[in-house]
Amino acid sequence: MRLRRVLLILLLVGGFWYVTVHVAGDLRSLGLLKTSGGNSPLELTEAHAAPEYDTEEQNNIAIYKRVLPSVVNITATNLTFNFFYGAVPQQGQGSGFVLDRAGHVLTNYHVVEQANRGIEVQLSNKHKYSATVVGSDRTHDLALLQINAPNLQPVTLADSTDLAVGQKVYAIGNPFGLSGTMTRGIISSIRSVRGGEGGPIEDAIQTDAAINPGNSGGPLLNSRGEVIGINTMIASNGAEQSSGIGFAIPINTAKAVLADLTRYGHVRRPSLGIQDYPIGPDLAEAMGLSADYGVLIQRVLPGGAAERAGLHGGTQQRYLGNQPIILGGDLIVAIDGQQVTDPQDINAIMDKHQAGDTVSVTVVRGREQMTVKLVLGEAKSQNT
């Protein structure tokens, strides 16, 4: 009996040894049995050559490398006072871009508006320079700065007249303080919007390229790396971050005022010198006007451009609901051959001119249509 137990034990031990040495080895060699030890080699699959970029990627990279040295970060310092009348410095950040080798930098007015303790401009090479405000245009949310720096690389400005919805665009700037950030998208729409400073932005460029706080004042670029707009604001519904709806001021708007900003420090905004009222088909029919659209001159301002050109204001006060309206004046239907249907049309035309320019104004007086030459004056108030 004892011998039988000994033989059984020997048989079990021998069987276990055979399985662990021979059978398990065969399974490991066939890859059917994994081990938890560190004896198995780690095999990685690596590329055998440098990455190849497709045509679109190559263009993205080329634009970024070419334009980045022209884009700057702007820090505006404002000294405020707390509850205990202690001085508290606050800093706001934005973007901008170099216009010329003389050191002119374009940005948004709201980026530097509160800077009562200095403005600092940082180039892409991390060098920092103190900046002064050469001129500002609150209405169009533009500010022209000056820095003294060597070897500046200016941007190339495009023509923003014939932009198309669907056109590819790029934004480079300083969102949330992350310098040198580029995003891309398309032009989503061209529309007039109310700017952050209260003035209208005619033909504003709407884009889905990610624009966030800190992008303000930076360039919006076309696929050739040329500036078509100045990034200015986002529609965020209070989230203060990109929602895919951003707006840029068309670069042609900035071109129209740069000469005034450089020479006078402000914009000598052109004006017809009138108080006006938009006319539609229903109102024109009710008033018995011979044209069913246009801008009615209610009053010509004394000494203004319209008075000097011989245009007439109204003489008969009537009420449209509870709103008074003066009838009998000239009805403006076109300026320089461009149809005028409301005051926004006039604003868009004025954005392309300067005080002192001569324009042709087509009006309907009674049943007669006439065109007169008018030398634009300088706006002194909110009148057109």
Side-chain angles (χ1 to χ4, degrees):
M1 194 70 171
R2 183 176 297 176
L3 179 61
R4 200 180 282 179
R5 289 179 181 177
V6 172
L7 291 175
L8 180 59
I9 292 173
L10 291 176
L11 182 61
L12 290 174
V13 171
F16 178 78
W17 173 83
Y18 179 82
V19 168
T20 54
V21 174
H22 296 280
V23 177
D26 292 340
L27 291 175
R28 279 195 294 269
S29 65
L30 293 174
L32 300 177
L33 182 64
K34 296 182 180 179
T35 62
S36 58
N39 295 328
S40 299
L42 178 63
E43 296 184 3
L44 302 177
T45 303
E46 299 186 58
H48 297 293
E52 295 183 3
Y53 303 110
D54 62 28
T55 303
E56 185 176 11
E57 290 173 325
Q58 291 174 10
N59 189 56
N60 296 344
I61 294 169
I63 288 174
Y64 183 74
K65 288 182 177 179
R66 184 167 69 251
V67 180
L68 181 63
S70 306
V71 180
V72 303
N73 296 339
I74 298 174
T75 302
T77 302
N78 176 37
L79 195 63
T80 61
F81 295 90
N82 61 20
F83 181 78
F84 301 100
Y85 295 98
V88 179
Q90 295 181 341
Q91 290 186 331
Q93 288 191 322
S95 305
F97 50 93
V98 177
L99 290 176
D100 58 18
R101 298 187 185 280
H104 289 106
V105 172
L106 188 63
T107 186
N108 283 145
Y109 172 79
H110 75 261
V111 170
V112 298
E113 177 183 9
Q114 302 295 331
N116 57 19
R117 284 298 182 271
I119 302 170
E120 184 179 74
V121 170
Q122 178 177 293
L123 304 180
S124 63
N125 60 13
K126 306 304 179 183
H127 289 171
K128 298 178 180 180
Y129 301 90
S130 177
T132 57
V133 178
V134 175
S136 60
D137 179 7
R138 183 187 183 97
T139 300
H140 289 128
D141 196 17
L142 296 171
L144 184 64
L145 310 181
Q146 175 82 57
I147 61 174
N148 183 16
N151 304 318
L152 291 174
Q153 182 173 320
V155 296
T156 300
L157 304 182
D159 184 351
S160 58
T161 302
D162 297 318
L163 300 178
V165 173
Q167 180 178 338
K168 187 185 301 181
V169 293
Y170 302 86
I172 301 180
N174 183 38
F176 298 114
L178 302 173
S179 61
T181 297
M182 182 170 82
T183 56
R184 69 171 187 165
I186 62 170
I187 294 178
S188 306
S189 180
I190 305 292
R191 67 175 79 247
S192 295
V193 298
R194 182 66 59 179
E197 296 301 320
I201 303 176
E202 304 295 340
D203 298 324
I205 306 168
Q206 180 182 329
T207 177
D208 65 350
I211 297 175
N212 286 289
N215 273 117
S216 291
L220 188 70
L221 310 162
N222 61 20
S223 58
R224 295 181 297 278
E226 302 162 342
V227 179
I228 60 172
I230 304 103
N231 299 316
T232 186
M233 65 180 186
I234 57 177
S236 61
N237 292 326
E240 295 301 326
Q241 62 186 23
S242 175
S243 61
I245 301 177
F247 295 96
I249 303 164
I251 194 61
N252 284 8
T253 298
K255 290 180 186 178
V257 303
L258 283 175
D260 276 359
L261 291 179
T262 304
R263 185 177 304 173
Y264 306 109
H266 66 278
V267 176
R268 298 172 64 241
R269 196 164 308 287
S271 171
L272 296 176
I274 64 172
Q275 290 180 344
D276 54 31
Y277 194 89
I279 299 296
D282 294 340
L283 192 55
E285 183 179 357
M287 293 178 179
L289 300 176
S290 58
D292 62 359
Y293 68 92
V295 170
L296 183 66
I297 300 178
Q298 296 198 86
R299 176 173 172 258
V300 293
L301 303 182
E307 185 183 65
R308 293 194 303 269
L311 298 182
H312 295 173
T315 57
Q316 309 164 30
Q317 181 168 305
R318 298 289 186 271
Y319 283 87
L320 186 63
N322 294 325
Q323 183 176 2
I325 181 172
I326 303 175
L327 305 179
D330 293 332
L331 182 67
I332 300 176
V333 294
I335 299 177
D336 285 341
Q338 182 176 336
Q339 188 179 80
V340 171
T341 61
D342 54 40
Q344 284 69 38
D345 290 339
I346 296 180
N347 289 335
I349 295 171
M350 292 300 102
D351 281 345
K352 300 173 184 176
H353 289 281
Q354 297 178 337
D357 288 353
T358 300
V359 296
S360 298
V361 181
T362 302
V363 300
V364 175
R365 180 177 296 171
R367 297 291 173 180
E368 181 184 359
Q369 180 170 300
M370 62 181 68
T371 299
V372 299
K373 295 291 185 181
L374 182 148
V375 179
L376 296 173
E378 182 176 351
K380 301 298 182 182
S381 66
Q382 295 301 315
N383 299 310
T384 302

